[in-house]
Amino acid sequence: MTDVQINAGSGAKTSKPTTTRRAARTSTAPVKSVKALDDAAFEAAFDALEPAERHAVFRDVGEELARTLGAQVIAQMLNGSDMSLREIGAQSGFDHTALSRIARGDSKTGPTLWKVFALAEALGYRIELNAVKK
């Protein structure tokens, strides 16, 4: 059994090159430059949000984190397997094209946690999740 570790906030980089998707531009209006906020300004702006807005921020960040980390973990397991995607799909019960989309980061939502664990079980991996206190 092979271990897959997910370290939230560790800053670890994957050895596989990743692609960056750009949003389609639908307006011809000039784009305003956005000034990056320092930590204090960011904290002040976040503190000024209403509770519902804070919840939305955490939800959006959580979804993006799940999508990107899930894609990295799925790709790591698929790349570490000696089987083809079709064989993996047949063994795990997942559609091989969906697995490919997730691993490439092309899935809008990414994998669910149960899908990561189920695929890990089918491929002989153990998933370890941990959080590190600031």
Side-chain angles (χ1 to χ4, degrees), residues 85 89 92-101 115:
L85 272 176
S92 65
F94 297 120
D95 178 59
H96 69 279
T97 58
L99 290 174
S100 178
R101 270 194 313 276
K115 186 176 281 188

Side-chain angles (χ1 to χ4, degrees), residues 22-76:
R22 295 179 188 256
R25 189 164 177 201
T26 58
S27 171
T28 57
V31 177
K32 296 178 183 178
S33 63
V34 177
K35 181 182 174 188
L37 299 176
D38 60 26
D39 288 344
F42 178 82
E43 190 171 325
F46 188 76
D47 288 344
L49 294 175
E50 295 293 323
E53 293 171 317
R54 285 185 189 179
H55 177 78
V57 167
F58 283 124
R59 183 194 63 236
D60 292 347
V61 168
E63 287 174 358
E64 181 62 14
L65 183 63
R67 188 183 72 76
T68 56
L69 279 177
Q72 289 175 1
V73 170
I74 296 282
Q76 180 182 357

